[in-house]
Amino acid sequence: MRRPLSLIVPAVLAAVCLSTGCSSKRVTLEDDILSNPTPELGRMGLSDDQAKFKEAFVVDHNLRAMRGDLARFWFFDEPSRLTPRAVP
């Protein structure tokens, strides 16, 4: 006799959840401090907000430079030096 898939899947999920259990290691305040002694600093000397601002500034600067490079590549940075076409 075949069991429907709708009964097997929840049984397998329940078995997996029950077999994982809880961690026996107890996290203490000392462990938390030792793992991250400066939680407010995302980088050396910068807070998270300062690091985000700096990254946004660098990305903006790079995109502006790339637009300027593309304008020079496609010759959009200055008008053409070709003679204008004579209009009859």
Side-chain angles (χ1 to χ4, degrees):
M1 181 154 120
R2 290 180 53 180
R3 293 195 185 267
L5 189 61
S6 63
L7 293 177
I8 295 173
V9 172
V12 170
L13 287 175
V16 169
C17 290
L18 291 174
S19 67
T20 57
C22 297
S23 173
S24 62
K25 182 181 178 191
R26 185 174 171 203
V27 178
T28 62
L29 182 61
E30 291 83 15
D31 293 336
D32 191 31
I33 292 173
L34 289 175
S35 67
N36 191 5
T38 56
E40 71 278 353
L41 294 178
R43 295 185 181 166
M44 194 65 135
L46 294 177
S47 67
D48 289 337
D49 291 335
Q50 290 170 334
K52 287 178 187 177
F53 176 76
K54 185 175 182 179
E55 288 170 9
F57 180 78
V58 169
V59 168
D60 180 56
H61 179 75
N62 290 342
L63 289 176
R64 288 174 183 254
M66 188 170 50
R67 268 186 294 214
D69 292 342
L70 286 174
R72 282 188 293 281
F73 178 77
W74 293 111
F75 301 113
F76 290 143
D77 59 336
E78 57 186 51
S80 174
R81 289 180 278 196
L82 298 174
T83 56
R85 184 175 62 143
V87 180

